[in-house]
Amino acid sequence: MFVHIDQGAKTPIYLQLRNQIVAAIAAGELAPGDSLPSVRSLAGDLGINLHTVNKAYASLRDEGYLLMRGRAGAVVASPLRDSSVPHAAEAERRLIDGLTLLALEHKAGGGGREGFAAAVASVLDAVYGTGAGGGSRPVPSGSSDR
Amino acid sequence: MFVHIDQGAKTPIYLQLRNQIVAAIAAGELAPGDSLPSVRSLAGDLGINLHTVNKAYASLRDEGYLLMRGRAGAVVASPLRDSSVPHAAEAERRLIDGLTLLALEHKAGGGGREGFAAAVASVLDAVYGTGAGGGSRPVPSGSSDR
DNA sequence: CATGCTGTTATATAAGAAATAGAACAAAAT
DNA sequence: ATTTTGTTCTATTTCTTATATAACAGCATG
């Protein structure tokens, strides 16, 4: 399994799991239609509780990344932009809010427009590839560790 | 005072306060050397507890945005990039981590490089101005309200 | 000098979030 | 029939958030 959990991190476990599943979808390691491990088996593999995995799955379902149809298991949904309008609008709002906060912190720290744009460029290169195909990326844990 | 608190928001009060002070510094409403209200008076104005304000101030001090020299009060520090190296490095790391998570969420939702770049451009216009001088900006509360 | 204000520290309490634990149920697969 | 699935419920523990007091030392102003 692609996921690893840092028990000492300040980021809640269910969020670490959520973020890494999002990263796996972004990287194409999880494609639309792919099944995810059962909450029990994944919890066992990671050494965490069933309910913690369930909470991560439920978050991803609420955000539109996963479909959970009864006992058939959790399945990666088709991209937000193709399907549900409310989910896409919510995602766009979170993107703008997140970017705005980061930009304000950057400017308050004396950073200029160019410095921010440079950071964005390097991140986009890492996530989308520097023009060619992209491999796997590390996932930020919210802020470092313990 | 420039700050307003939403008691029902899911973002903790001390973080709402922290974010809005960061925004005020970014907007130039608070310049290096400016004094901030005492923790007691601001807590009184906002109708919140002394320790909640203190926590926000302490966070901003730890991040390098404020100086708190004994009983002289809290003062806006000179920009991170000019002063402490560790604070600047920490800020850069948080920026990259934050951008990476947002970019991964965007890509996982089916968004392309261009869409992300467009969102960044609009946010930078809002924060830095569309080429000319900049006024005051709204502050994202982490995610909307209640 | 005394009074009041400052930041700081300590302790206590209450509410909520996060995580774990154990149990149970209906639906589906073997 | 047994197992496995997601889902739901209750319970407990720990941590965070927020509030409420109280006290102390430094500094300024009256």
Side-chain angles (χ1 to χ4, degrees), chain A residues 10 18-19 21-23 25-28 63 65 79-82 90 92-113 115-117 119-125 127-131 134 137-144, chain B residues 10 18-19 21-23 25-28 63 65 79-82 90 92-113 115-117 119-125 127-131 134 137-144:
Chain A
K10 45 192 158 190
R18 185 217 90 113
N19 290 343
I21 292 174
V22 167
I25 296 175
E63 296 176 275
Y65 292 113
L80 292 188
R81 271 161 191 73
D82 304 354
E90 258 272 314
E92 179 76 7
R93 197 186 50 73
R94 279 199 302 271
L95 173 60
I96 296 295
D97 283 359
L99 286 175
T100 301
L101 183 54
L102 289 175
L104 288 172
E105 290 172 349
H106 180 75
K107 188 182 181 190
R113 190 176 193 132
F116 193 89
V120 169
S122 81
V123 165
L124 285 182
D125 283 351
V127 170
Y128 282 97
T130 175
R137 306 301 148 189
V139 190
S141 55
S143 287
S144 68
Chain B
K10 46 193 158 189
R18 185 216 91 114
N19 291 343
I21 292 174
V22 167
I25 296 175
E63 297 176 275
Y65 292 112
L80 293 187
R81 270 159 191 74
D82 304 352
E90 258 270 314
E92 179 76 7
R93 196 186 51 72
R94 279 199 303 271
L95 173 60
I96 297 295
D97 283 1
L99 285 175
T100 301
L101 184 53
L102 289 176
L104 287 173
E105 290 172 348
H106 180 75
K107 189 182 180 190
R113 189 177 193 130
F116 193 88
V120 168
S122 81
V123 166
L124 285 181
D125 283 351
V127 170
Y128 282 97
T130 175
R137 305 300 149 189
V139 189
S141 56
S143 287
S144 68

Side-chain angles (χ1 to χ4, degrees), chain A residues 17-96:
Chain A
L17 182 52
R18 185 217 90 113
N19 290 343
Q20 293 187 39
I21 292 174
V22 167
I25 296 175
E29 301 167 15
L30 286 177
D34 285 358
S35 285
L36 276 79
S38 77
V39 291
R40 283 178 174 84
S41 69
L42 184 52
D45 289 353
L46 299 178
I48 62 179
N49 191 274
L50 170 165
H51 298 100
T52 307
V53 177
N54 202 3
K55 185 169 182 176
Y57 280 13
S59 292
L60 291 163
R61 165 179 49 81
D62 293 343
E63 296 176 275
Y65 292 113
L66 295 186
L67 296 176
M68 302 177 76
R69 28 172 76 101
R71 297 96 202 125
V75 171
V76 178
S78 48
L80 292 188
R81 271 161 191 73
D82 304 354
S83 44
S84 83
V85 177
H87 285 154
E90 258 272 314
E92 179 76 7
R93 197 186 50 73
R94 279 199 302 271
L95 173 60
I96 296 295

Side-chain angles (χ1 to χ4, degrees), chain B residues 22-36:
Chain B
V22 167
I25 296 175
E29 301 167 16
L30 286 176
D34 284 358
S35 286
L36 275 77

